[in-house]
C-alpha cells in the first residue's frame, strides 16, 4: 500500500507529470520564472519551510516524521500542479504554464536531495535526469536548484505499482 499510494501515486506521479510536461512542451528545458504570482512564490517558499521540518526531524532521529514531511512536499507539488492546470495553460498562456513547470521542477529537484537519506539510488537517478550535480549538498536545497534553460531528461517511471499477483507470489514463496 505504501509503495502504491505514496511512492507511485504521490512522488512518482508528481515527478513524471512534471518531467514529461517539460519534455513535451518546453523542449526538455527548465522554463524561466517570469513575473511569478503570489501562489508561485508561496509554493516555492514551501521548499524552505518543509526543509526546516525535515531537517529537525532527522536531527531528532524521527525518521517516520522526516519521511512524512518530505512526502508532504511532494503532495504540495502535486496539488499545485493540479490547481495550475498546465494542460490548459499550455494552450493559451504559455508564461503561466512555464511558471508552473519551473516551480514543480524546483520542488522535484529539492525532493531529489531531501529523499536521498531514505532512497539514495532512486534519488541519484532522479538527480541524473534533472542534470543536478551528484554531489549536491543538503545545504544547497533551495527554491533555485535548477537554472532556467537547464536541460532535463524525462526518465522512466520512478516507482512501479506492485500488483496483487506479485504480492501473492511473494507470500507463496514465504510459505514455502
Amino acid at each position: 500500500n505504501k509503495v502504491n499510494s505514496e511512492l507511485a501515486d504521490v512522488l512518482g506521479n508528481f515527478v513524471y507529470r512534471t518531467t514529461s510536461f517539460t519534455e513535451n512542451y518546453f523542449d526538455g528545458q527548465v522554463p524561466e520564472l517570469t513575473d511569478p504570482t503570489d501562489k508561485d512564490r508561496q509554493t516555492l517558499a514551501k521548499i524552505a519551510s518543509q526543509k526546516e521540518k525535515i531537517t529537525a526531524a532527522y536531527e531528532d532521529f524521527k525518521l517516520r516524521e522526516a519521511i512524512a514531511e518530505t512526502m508532504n512536499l511532494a503532495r504540495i507539488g502535486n496539488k499545485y500542479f493540479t490547481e495550475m492546470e498546465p494542460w490548459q495553460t499550455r494552450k493559451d498562456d504559455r508564461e503561466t504554464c512555464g511558471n508552473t513547470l519551473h516551480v514543480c521542477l524546483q520542488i522535484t529537484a529539492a525532493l531529489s536531495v531531501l529523499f536521498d537519506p531514505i532512497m539514495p539510488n532512486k534519488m541519484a537517478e532522479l538527480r541524473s535526469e534533472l542534470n543536478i550535480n551528484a554531489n549536491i549538498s543538503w545545504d544547497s536545497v533551495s527554491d533555485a536548484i535548477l537554472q532556467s534553460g537547464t536541460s532535463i531528461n524525462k526518465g522512466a517511471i520512478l516507482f512501479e505499482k506492485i500488483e496483487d499477483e506479485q504480492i501473492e507470489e511473494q507470500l507463496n514463496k514465504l510459505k514455502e
Side-chain angles (χ1 to χ4, degrees):
N1 284 337
K2 284 286 187 189
V3 169
N4 288 350
S5 66
E6 300 264 326
L7 294 178
D9 289 345
V10 176
L11 179 59
N13 184 46
F14 172 64
V15 169
Y16 188 77
R17 291 196 305 169
T18 299
T19 57
S20 64
F21 249 81
T22 303
E23 177 72 24
N24 293 335
Y25 302 110
F26 286 85
D27 298 322
Q29 295 190 344
V30 177
E32 189 172 337
L33 185 64
T34 306
D35 194 24
T37 65
D38 286 343
K39 186 172 192 146
D40 296 334
R41 286 191 291 276
Q42 289 166 0
T43 304
L44 283 170
K46 298 281 187 175
I47 294 171
S49 62
Q50 286 304 114
K51 177 186 170 189
E52 286 179 28
K53 292 175 187 178
I54 296 161
T55 301
Y58 276 124
E59 287 174 350
D60 291 339
F61 300 100
K62 296 179 179 176
L63 297 182
R64 284 186 184 181
E65 184 178 323
I67 293 167
E69 291 298 345
T70 311
M71 194 59 74
N72 282 340
L73 182 57
R75 283 188 183 87
I76 289 165
N78 255 329
K79 183 175 187 274
Y80 170 81
F81 188 98
T82 300
E83 289 174 355
M84 296 305 291
E85 300 180 331
W87 55 92
Q88 295 292 339
T89 59
R90 74 174 176 84
K91 299 173 188 169
D92 56 9
D93 188 353
R94 189 161 171 82
E95 183 177 290
T96 297
C97 184
N99 284 353
T100 300
L101 294 175
H102 181 95
V103 170
C104 289
L105 285 164
Q106 296 299 348
I107 292 171
T108 300
L111 288 168
S112 78
V113 179
L114 297 172
F115 262 130
D116 194 69
I118 303 300
M119 300 178 284
N121 294 337
K122 282 290 184 185
M123 294 305 105
E125 286 176 30
L126 181 55
R127 283 191 301 278
S128 176
E129 290 174 19
L130 298 173
N131 284 319
I132 295 173
N133 183 325
N135 297 320
I136 186 171
S137 71
W138 189 271
D139 293 336
S140 298
V141 173
S142 72
D143 62 2
I145 294 173
L146 296 170
Q147 300 302 311
S148 298
T150 300
S151 291
I152 64 157
N153 306 304
K154 180 183 81 169
I157 293 174
L158 209 52
F159 299 98
E160 297 286 339
K161 287 193 175 208
I162 300 173
E163 301 300 329
D164 290 340
E165 298 81 35
Q166 292 171 293
I167 295 169
E168 191 64 36
E169 184 180 310
Q170 293 302 316
L171 287 173
N172 287 335
K173 284 182 184 179
L174 287 173
K175 287 176 186 174
E176 291 174 10

